Amino acid sequence: MTQSSTWIRRGMVFAAALITAVGIQARPFEDIKKDGKIVIATEGQFMPFNYFQGSKLTGFEVELAELVAKKMGVTIEWKALGFDALLAGLRQDRWDLVIASHGINEERSKAVTFTNPHYCSGGQVVSLTPAIHSGADLAGKVVSVQTGTSYLESVRKLPGIKEVKNFPKDTDARAALLNQRVDAWVTDRFVAKQAISLAPNAGMKAGDMVFVERVAAAVAKGNQSLAAAYNTALAEVMADGSYAALSKKYFNEDVRCK
Ligand code: ARG
């Protein structure tokens, strides 16, 4: 090995060690603004919030993020990934922001910084029989939920639950109900509403809500400048009527937290 290649190798080893030691720095808003482009990750499998219409990523959250980014003066580069990968990717600086219906909770708040919420909702029981409609009715029952969601956490805590089956995608948790492999599916109440209206003959019945949550976007832990810029832009979109119009288009009601 020549002298210079040895030094290059040492330099690379040193750089790698430095990144491991200090962690990768999330991009502050100033850098994103200079770049003109924000990288946003979502799942794309959670209709009507984020989903694919053919090859096009769309949904309430996708369109809302577009409105917010416009106010921030940047364009969006979208990434679509499995739900489980989203918050972890913020840590590794693989994207700047995540918008994928994450409910704000203590556990997640340890790992990421949440923005202000963009809607309020909660987990709802869906079953094929009116006999299973409340949290109490789930005692002794098998329930499907999406892996890594707040539904999993809340259903686990219900007294007497027989089994919680979890699926990487919420659509698979729904399929498990339709195939009668579980007694109930717990999902977001607006997801449930849409699933029922798209398959009116499938026999799905919306039951009670088992908990409520405030849903927000997330940025890397401590990236305050980005959270602040996003919050300012979100407040503008909520004030100028564009949020209201978008919410009406998707839900026929205003879903912001009251
Ligand atoms: N609101 C639930 C949670 O906070 C579910 C989110 C699921 N999002 C998704 N893109 N599948 O965990």
Side-chain angles (χ1 to χ4, degrees):
M1 206 179 281
T2 65
Q3 186 84 341
S4 63
S5 73
T6 306
W7 281 109
I8 290 169
R9 259 180 55 85
R10 283 189 185 160
M12 280 163 58
V13 169
F14 178 72
L18 199 66
I19 287 170
T20 317
V22 301
I24 304 168
Q25 283 303 299
R27 294 201 298 167
F29 181 58
E30 202 188 296
D31 291 5
I32 295 169
K33 184 94 193 204
K34 246 181 247 153
D35 186 23
K37 195 187 73 188
I38 184 169
V39 184
I40 304 187
T42 189
E43 184 197 26
Q45 310 280 350
F46 202 55
M47 198 178 183
F49 294 105
N50 58 79
Y51 62 98
F52 281 92
Q53 204 157 50
S55 63
K56 192 180 147 48
L57 187 62
T58 187
F60 176 68
E61 290 179 308
V62 172
E63 288 201 52
L64 179 63
E66 297 284 355
L67 293 173
V68 172
K70 202 167 172 196
K71 298 268 189 209
M72 291 164 77
V74 294
T75 58
I76 302 177
E77 180 187 328
W78 284 103
K79 305 248 186 236
L81 293 108
F83 183 68
D84 252 5
L86 297 172
L87 296 186
L90 285 174
R91 271 199 122 100
Q92 300 147 354
D93 206 28
R94 292 171 66 197
W95 35 82
D96 301 304
L97 184 136
V98 167
I99 187 161
S101 287
H102 287 91
I104 299 173
N105 65 31
E106 230 184 282
E107 191 61 31
R108 289 170 178 165
S109 298
K110 286 180 195 152
V112 300
T113 293
F114 279 107
T115 65
N116 291 338
H118 57 278
Y119 72 92
C120 266
S121 186
Q124 186 168 38
V125 177
V126 184
S127 77
L128 299 175
T129 160
I132 304 174
H133 69 269
S134 69
D137 295 337
L138 299 181
K141 299 291 189 291
V142 182
V143 182
S144 65
V145 294
Q146 182 180 22
T147 311
T149 59
S150 49
Y151 317 129
L152 176 62
E153 294 313 312
S154 66
V155 170
R156 247 187 206 148
K157 286 180 204 139
L158 291 173
I161 288 280
K162 184 170 171 197
E163 190 189 345
V164 187
K165 281 195 197 298
N166 62 89
F167 298 84
K169 291 193 286 178
D170 191 55
T171 47
D172 292 331
R174 180 189 66 207
L177 173 67
L178 293 172
N179 300 333
Q180 302 183 35
R181 288 167 53 212
V182 297
D183 302 303
W185 163 44
V186 172
T187 189
D188 180 86
R189 79 176 176 106
F190 297 110
V191 171
K193 194 174 173 192
Q194 174 139 41
I196 292 169
S197 80
L198 287 177
N201 301 321
M204 287 186 284
K205 290 171 182 46
D208 295 350
M209 283 176 74
V210 288
F211 74 106
V212 293
E213 63 183 358
R214 300 186 313 135
V215 171
V219 299
K221 181 91 185 155
N223 193 351
Q224 300 300 349
S225 69
L226 179 55
Y230 176 97
N231 286 339
T232 303
L234 177 64
E236 281 170 37
V237 165
M238 284 184 161
D240 74 3
S242 49
Y243 177 99
L246 190 64
S247 184
K248 188 158 174 49
K249 168 180 156 183
Y250 277 94
F251 308 106
N252 209 25
E253 65 182 282
D254 197 312
V255 298
R256 81 184 71 193
C257 300
K258 306 264 156 37

